Amino acid sequence: MRNFAAATTALLFLALTAGALPKVSRVGKYLYDENGNRFFIKGIAYQTQGTVISGPDNPLNQPSTFVDNLADETACLRDIPILQQLSVNSIRAYSANSSLNHDSCMQALSSAGIYVILDLTLPLNGSIDTTLPAWSTNILDQYLRTIDAFAKYDNVLAYNIGNEVITPSATQSAPFIVAAARDIRAYLNSISSSALVGYAAIDGPSSFVVNEANFLACSASAEIDLFGLNNYEWCGNASTTTYNTVNTEFANYGVAAYFSEFGSENCAPLTRVWTEVPVMFSEPMTNVWSGGMAFSYFSDISKGANFGMATVSADNTTIVTNADFANLAAMYKAVTFVATPAQGTAPTPTLPTCPKSNPPGWNASTTLPQTPDDAACGCLESALSCLFSPPTPNYMDLVGELIGVACGLVATAGGTCDDISSDGVAGTYGRLAMCDPTIKLSYVMSQYFELNHYVNVACSFDGNGTVNANAPTGILATAAASSCIPSATVFTPSAPPVLIPGTGAKSSSNSNSGSGNSPGGTTSSGMPAIIISRGLLTGMTAAVGCVIGGMIRTLCW
Ligand SMILES: *[C@@H]1O[C@H](CO)[C@@H](O)[C@H](O)[C@H]1NC(C)=O
Ligand SMILES: *[C@@H]1O[C@H](CO)[C@@H](O)[C@H](O)[C@H]1NC(C)=O
Ligand SMILES: *[C@@H]1O[C@H](CO)[C@@H](O)[C@H](O)[C@H]1NC(C)=O
Ligand SMILES: *[C@@H]1O[C@H](CO)[C@@H](O)[C@H](O)[C@H]1NC(C)=O
Ligand SMILES: *[C@@H]1O[C@H](CO)[C@@H](O)[C@H](O)[C@H]1NC(C)=O
Ligand SMILES: *[C@@H]1O[C@H](CO)[C@@H](O)[C@H](O)[C@H]1NC(C)=O
């Protein structure tokens, strides 16, 4: 066994070093490999569909669970020969669990010449939200953990920082996506990763798509490298003019673009013929686009159609492919990549101009939120008088609900939730908007507790809150925030705290913190050094609680 393990390790090492896939980088609007060849994405989505658990918490009926396909060695080794029948050079995976091992699958994909575009998002609360967006420590750290888990592989082509987050009817998340691109790019640079920063966009009216694409690419050093459009406009044996509009829209786009999903269902003929493939991989499309990801390898039922091309047997051991698969394989095999323009003659990159807020179809500020700062938020949390104590392991729904409840109560007592709120249309970001939702909730709970003169019941929230016995005496939550939270800063995030296995809790070391912005005067224990005397505190509290509070008189002394 010992020798076998050693041999395997040696082989893996050899393969990792000797057979490395060429790095792919973006030059202006095109992709090139390190040998100077123009690179196109000829790929397929490779993600088992999660289970949709319907309910009031899931209005969009999004998958609530996910399978980490890149951690499933057996399935991966089963599928790679089938992917090779398609002659793909890339796959797109939509979620990965950073605490699992991906060596075997990633290595085998690399050996098969297959790159991976990996979405950093997870179902439910593991993504920037469409309508209540925040770029906060929990999402940043999740993204960084996934990057850390994949940084050693040579075949990660790009990390997607979001999929269909910005929608035609809700564009306020756009500044948060750009902030994510900015911080993830800075992190990738800091670990010398050449992986591209991507985003996969929902299709929509021209005014929306163009503004969105430009918005995501217009801020130097926060621009994405790879704009993915989930494009399903080609249906069946469509006319070759089908893509004329989208070609015109992206003709002068400043960064690389591709179809992050394509392959419409329920068309005539019903079996997909993939006649878009030869169009996508020849001029004039290749002047604008860098290929696409056909949707989907695994069964994926959406809008009454199954987009899957491979059916897995009940015991997971064998695969049956369908006619869509055979047609796609024939089309993909016939593709020859266009070589032009040569890398040396690629047009000089020019980033687009940022769309102004409020043109038709666009409504987002170019003022970006700051880099989420774990250390500053942790400093604040340790000084709060009342802490959210999760009653169940899955508490993110409850946190959202309780923030609403607590903000309502604080408002009744004359306070506000401005510190934890943000507005991507106005470009205003509360100083705690970047913190983990549980810390935001504890902050609001603490304010309510203070406003009620620390009567224990005011920290209970029906058993969801606990008095923080370790909090320094006499510090108002707002004062702790002033002490701990630096004014909005942008910095290169560092590796996130390690997750303590099985608990979702974090170890205390190695947190993200802005360099040179150490929160005004912290003690060695991380506690804010501003201590307000109890007398002053109670005076202030009384003023807030009682002057405003004719209506909450019973809560006053
Ligand atoms: C659709 O296109 C395929 C592939 O080019 C061709 O074989 C087929 O005859 C076409 N079918 C129709 C209904 O046009
Ligand atoms: C088959 O694989 C899926 C994950 O893709 C897993 O959820 C399921 O339990 C497996 N079934 C069997 C019989 O191993
Ligand atoms: C943009 O958002 C603001 C604030 O939410 C709203 O008042 C305005 O009508 C929106 N404009 C457009 C064009 O959507
Ligand atoms: C988590 O997602 C659920 C479902 O969308 C939502 O109700 C809840 O408010 C979210 N929690 C937080 C803290 O954002
Ligand atoms: C926490 O708050 C929720 C929502 O208000 C409530 O249903 C629940 O009973 C509270 N207590 C615990 C321990 O979950
Ligand atoms: C990741 O895998 C670990 C180990 O199986 C599990 O405890 C954890 O819940 C998983 N995380 C997610 C987000 O699914």
Side-chain angles (χ1 to χ4, degrees), residues 94-171:
Y94 287 67
S95 283
N97 181 336
S98 59
S99 51
L100 301 180
N101 187 313
H102 305 91
D103 286 351
S104 187
C105 187
M106 289 300 288
Q107 167 56 26
L109 286 165
S110 173
S111 299
I114 297 174
Y115 292 87
V116 175
I117 295 184
L118 177 61
D119 289 29
L120 297 171
T121 52
L122 295 177
L124 300 179
N125 301 91
S127 166
I128 294 171
D129 192 81
T130 295
T131 52
L132 288 173
W135 176 228
S136 46
T137 56
N138 54 317
I139 309 279
L140 170 68
D141 289 347
Q142 172 193 308
Y143 286 11
L144 296 189
R145 283 189 190 99
T146 304
I147 290 171
D148 283 351
F150 282 81
K152 62 184 157 182
Y153 307 125
D154 62 67
N155 54 334
V156 178
L157 181 63
Y159 295 106
N160 281 337
I161 53 172
N163 178 55
E164 301 194 351
V165 178
I166 309 164
T167 68
S169 59
T171 61

Side-chain angles (χ1 to χ4, degrees), residues 48 67 69 72 312 314-316:
T48 301
V67 172
N69 294 98
D72 189 343
V312 185
D315 64 358
N316 282 345

Side-chain angles (χ1 to χ4, degrees), residues 10-50:
L11 275 177
L12 184 65
F13 177 75
L14 263 182
L16 279 172
T17 49
L21 285 180
K23 281 182 186 159
V24 173
S25 46
R26 176 176 73 82
V27 179
K29 62 192 289 186
Y30 299 122
L31 303 176
Y32 293 92
D33 71 20
E34 61 191 318
N35 304 315
N37 301 312
R38 183 122 185 245
F39 182 84
F40 290 90
I41 295 158
K42 190 171 73 162
I44 189 164
Y46 184 77
Q47 180 68 53
T48 301
Q49 189 173 32

Side-chain angles (χ1 to χ4, degrees), residues 236-238 268-269 273-275 331:
N237 280 4
V273 285
W274 302 104
T275 42
M331 287 297 187

